[in-house]
Amino acid sequence: MMTLIIFTVLFLVIDYYVYQAIKTVSEGWGPLWKNFLRIGFWVPTAWSIAALVWWTLGDPYAASTSTRNWIITGLVATYFSKLFAVVVLFVDDIYRGIKWMAKYFYKGPSNDLPGDAITRSDFLAKTALAAAAIPFGTMVYGIVSGAHDYRVRRKTVYFPKLPKKFDGIKIGQLSDIHSGSFFNKVAVKGGVEMMLKEKPDMIFFTGDLVNNESSEVKEYIDIFNKLKAPLGIYSVTGNHDYGDYHHWASLAAKQQNFKDLMEAHKLLGFDLLMNQHRFISVEGEKLAVIGIENWGGGRFSKYGKLEQAYAGSEDAPVKLLLSHDPSHWDAQVRTQYPDIDIAFAGHTHGFQFGVEIGNVKWSPSQYAYRQWAGLYQEGSQYLYVNRGFGYLGYPGRIGMPPELTIIELKRA
């Protein structure tokens, strides 16, 4: 209740402040449009407070993950954008305060003091509304256009010990599907078809098939099971696949959910590696694909057992690791397994927001992860971090489009 009260008061204060700009801008309008704007301004406020009441006093987990995501996105987009207007208006209020103090203490003729009378500047009111409209419009654009703007990213990696029969092999990587967040089935199908056109020899899926519940992927089985590769499709689990962030009626229900998730991998045609490895053989030559359950740094779960998955693969001349969280690479892979040639990860989503233009590469992800997007090398070992196929929370992407990765392996 206290949280509800605090956020309700905060929303009302922000809206009242921004409303002053609405009043100023609409001052000269006709009665119809003036009332339409001024009354209409408070409709999102009422919706936001109603959403807060429902979230606090109701049972939000009775609704679908998609419904919860849209509600949160609406609240964040609305009030994050309005904060920009508040900053501009606050600057104007400081200016007005300084003028008032100057007039109070300055005893000379009033016409000597520069500036207009103490009124809210029409220019700054319009600037404040524009400042709010820009981030709001950007977030809407990120949903409408950015969420499914799939991009193929290509890299070539050279290994001296790569068997000749694997020289030029193409590996396709998908990560972080988060099927519970999708809202455009046709666009998702288009992304899968883009991967198929690349004709990869193998496909890796590096975790987070769902947000929380295995049932989320049910509607997309017939889309992702179209993925095919002659040397197989191999997958691992991510932190969201275990249902750790969901309220379950019982431990048994949570365990059944995970069993259903593993069954979903089978229905998709994915070979799920649960701390296991597979040998890929071509005309008598082989390499090893190693896959572990989620192993994350910090607060994230550590179900992965690399020692168990690695055991028995020692003789493979090249070893490829699937591990959802890129922090695992520095924490364990590089320090304890120097013969694992390349690891494939995801998890970060590139924060679904960033700037990548030429050599300029920035995202808030870089403040949480040393390796957060793209190809990294330390000595003779490599890590590729996929930016994600889907999205979580905010159902869009800004400057960080969803990714289909193609890694080509070549003999050095």
Side-chain angles (χ1 to χ4, degrees), residues 89-110:
L89 295 172
F90 186 65
V91 170
D92 182 34
D93 283 344
I94 293 176
Y95 167 72
R96 292 169 58 199
I98 292 173
K99 285 187 65 177
W100 182 86
M101 291 181 65
K103 282 195 171 185
Y104 182 81
F105 290 105
Y106 181 70
K107 303 302 182 182
S110 59

Side-chain angles (χ1 to χ4, degrees), residues 61 211-212 239-240 242-248 299-301:
Y61 286 94
N211 295 338
N212 294 294
N239 55 302
H240 279 269
Y242 297 87
D244 289 342
Y245 312 122
H246 185 72
H247 297 290
W248 297 100
R299 63 185 176 85
F300 291 104
S301 57

Side-chain angles (χ1 to χ4, degrees), residues 309-327:
Y310 175 87
S313 70
E314 292 87 350
D315 294 338
V318 170
K319 301 175 184 67
L320 317 177
L321 172 67
L322 280 62
S323 179
H324 177 70
D325 193 316
S327 61

Side-chain angles (χ1 to χ4, degrees), residues 48 55 154 184 301 310 363 370 374:
S48 299
W55 196 280
R154 310 174 196 276
N184 188 333
S301 57
Y310 175 87
S363 166
R370 185 164 175 258

Side-chain angles (χ1 to χ4, degrees), residues 4 12 81 106 108 153 169 174 180 234 280 317 319 340 369 403 408:
L4 174 61
L12 289 173
S81 301
Y106 181 70
R153 294 182 180 266
I169 185 175
L174 298 174
Y234 304 91
I280 312 301
K319 301 175 184 67
I340 290 180
Y369 295 92
E403 176 177 352
E408 185 177 9

Side-chain angles (χ1 to χ4, degrees), residues 192-300:
V192 170
E193 290 172 349
M194 286 179 65
M195 176 59 83
L196 288 172
K197 288 179 181 178
E198 296 297 319
K199 298 181 178 179
D201 299 293
M202 278 195 297
I203 296 177
F204 294 161
F205 172 62
T206 46
D208 278 358
L209 181 62
V210 299
N211 295 338
N212 294 294
E213 301 174 67
S214 61
S215 59
E216 295 167 14
V217 76
K218 184 177 180 180
E219 293 184 28
Y220 294 89
I221 294 289
D222 290 339
I223 292 179
F224 288 101
N225 68 6
K226 300 297 188 296
L227 290 168
K228 303 295 179 185
L231 295 180
I233 303 176
Y234 304 91
S235 63
V236 293
T237 50
N239 55 302
H240 279 269
D241 293 322
Y242 297 87
D244 289 342
Y245 312 122
H246 185 72
H247 297 290
W248 297 100
S250 65
L251 177 60
K254 180 181 178 182
Q255 292 172 338
Q256 183 60 51
N257 179 73
F258 190 64
K259 290 179 182 178
D260 293 341
L261 179 101
M262 292 190 289
E263 182 63 26
H265 279 253
K266 291 181 181 179
L267 295 174
L268 290 168
F270 295 179
D271 185 355
L272 179 61
L273 302 178
M274 300 290 286
N275 303 316
Q276 299 166 301
H277 68 265
R278 300 282 188 267
F279 288 115
I280 312 301
S281 298
V282 176
E283 297 183 24
E285 296 186 322
K286 67 179 181 180
L287 55 75
V289 175
I290 302 169
I292 69 165
E293 295 186 65
N294 187 73
W295 194 104
R299 63 185 176 85
F300 291 104

